[in-house]
Amino acid sequence: MKLQVQPKLIIHGGAGSSLQAKGGLETVRRSLHVVIEEVYSLLVTGVSASEAVVRGCQMLEDNPHFNAGTGSVLQSDGQIRMSASLMDGTSRRFSGVINVSRVKNPIEMALFLQNSPDRVLSDFGSAELARELQVPSYNALTDLRLKEWIQEREDNFQRTMAGVVAEPEMAESSNGGRGTIGVVALDGYAKLAAGTSTGGKGFERIGRVSDSAMPAGNYATSYAGVSCTGIGEDIIDECLAAKIVIRVSDGMSLQDAMLRSFTEASKNERDLGAIALDATGAISYGKTSEILLAAYHNGDTIGDTLEWNDQELIGYC
Ligand code: GLY
């Protein structure tokens, strides 16, 4: 079927404080651009927004630099528990898993749950589902994340969060970050979807629930889609993704909805970021944290926010 509109795509690999490692920026840039190139080429061939979002999330989950899937951070008890969600803007269906362990791609479970009567499963339920689906058992642990956790345990878990990306120097650093991954796509038929996946904050207590599998952290309608990153509690308190999307659905422009929502978040001293697309193809991103690791394809070129450090709360194109 012939494409009706030009597809658009935006992804993120977390938000937080500056990258520590020498060359960290170029490594992250390459990692994000590879995902943008592959997923945008799929959109051009006519895949749906949801399919594109799932593929983008899989690629980011498989990259050990990012805090989702392989390379997820460890919780206070040394275990990895991951959360992911998918929202299809056309069907307005939200699905997800919360604190799932031993699977490679939590976003695939969120995709499966799109067509289930029970669409959000927590730890025990998601483990049962993985068993029913015969998802192979997978160890998402990396040496860097283990080293980071051991260092933190020695310091009695003083840091509020793990590093935004896994970097060799991070274990020696006291500079925290806020890792998550997310993808928002507008397909060639003007349909939107959003997906978000995370290993959580890192070092949290057992049972803590991330924003990434809540509408606060991931939301889409036929008007707009948003994926958030940052401190989950701050995102939940702002109800950020749903707030931006509903403002656009009620008639506000994406730029105004982002500016108003980030102005509020900044006033409330939140530490977070978000990526957004609307049905007209407008792209936006915002942060109150120091950096936002996002990249996008606007139909002509690839851009990213890795060196976007200015005082503006939002960017728009
Ligand atoms: N935004 C990821 C988390 O706080 O779990």
Side-chain angles (χ1 to χ4, degrees), residues 161 178-180 198-201 204 208-212 228-233 235:
M161 292 193 79
R178 303 91 180 85
T180 306
T198 188
K201 276 197 299 192
E204 62 265 68
R208 182 257 181 187
V209 175
S210 165
D211 62 289
S212 299
C228 298
T229 176
I231 295 187
E233 284 71 6
I235 295 165

